Amino acid sequence: MTFEIVRGLHILAAIAWMAGMLFLPRLYAYDAEQAGKAEPLRSEMQGLLREWQRRLLRIIINPAMTATWVFGVWMILIHVYGFGEGWGFLARPWMATKLLAVVALSGWHGFLAGEFKRIQAGTSTRSGRFWRMTNEIPFAIAVVAVLSVTTEWTLG
């Protein structure tokens, strides 16, 4: 029963994390597109967009990532100790793929957080087009992670 609750919380946290990482690049795109606008509209819109970016990162994305990791590690510990599978469980192809996907999502999260700092400092060089083109990166990574877990594929 504990495993099922932890897995459910892990999935919910991952959904919140993904939702935030899919929305944040849109806010970055809208922010970048304000550069050509006239004042005072440009400053007002950038102020609003940057506040939304900050709130999305601090209130949703960062806590959701932390919860995803905590519940994920908890599930690993249940597999290793509760189910007696041992640490070799992590070397299964599907699990190794899932872990690599989580590391990739965490890296993308770090990239987005770093870009937030550059946007706030006014040093970002990314265009709205860049953000639209990269917006689906976390979704593509999540597809790999989810299909790895749901199929538990193996080699051979």
Side-chain angles (χ1 to χ4, degrees):
M1 181 68 151
T2 299
F3 181 78
E4 298 303 326
I5 292 170
V6 173
R7 181 168 56 177
L9 293 171
H10 175 72
I11 291 168
L12 291 170
I15 289 169
W17 186 26
M18 288 299 304
M21 289 201 303
L22 289 169
F23 186 53
L24 187 59
R26 283 290 169 184
L27 293 177
Y28 289 170
Y30 301 151
D31 190 299
E33 291 165 354
Q34 297 308 307
K37 304 278 169 88
E39 289 294 348
L41 181 60
R42 179 180 62 83
S43 294
E44 288 177 23
M45 282 302 297
Q46 282 182 326
L48 279 172
L49 289 164
R50 291 175 186 184
E51 180 61 20
W52 294 342
Q53 294 163 18
R54 184 187 67 76
R55 288 181 181 177
L56 186 58
L57 269 167
R58 293 204 176 124
I59 297 171
I60 296 173
I61 300 175
N62 292 343
M65 182 192 72
T66 301
T68 300
W69 271 93
V70 166
F71 293 124
V73 169
W74 192 351
M75 283 192 303
I76 288 170
L77 294 173
I78 291 171
H79 271 279
V80 171
Y81 296 110
F83 298 160
E85 295 183 50
W87 291 103
F89 160 75
L90 298 177
R92 292 181 187 162
W94 68 269
M95 187 61 180
T97 302
K98 161 76 184 288
L99 293 173
L100 286 173
V102 172
V103 168
L105 283 171
S106 298
W108 183 249
H109 177 130
F111 174 75
L112 292 176
E115 189 64 22
F116 171 72
K117 291 177 183 176
R118 287 185 285 281
I119 289 169
Q120 294 290 344
T123 60
S124 175
T125 59
R126 311 270 184 217
S127 68
R129 181 182 166 146
F130 170 84
W131 291 114
R132 282 185 173 75
M133 290 176 60
T134 60
N135 190 58
E136 303 306 321
I137 287 174
F139 181 74
I141 297 169
V143 167
V144 171
V146 169
L147 291 178
S148 291
V149 171
T150 58
T151 63
E152 292 189 11
W153 63 275
T154 61
L155 297 174

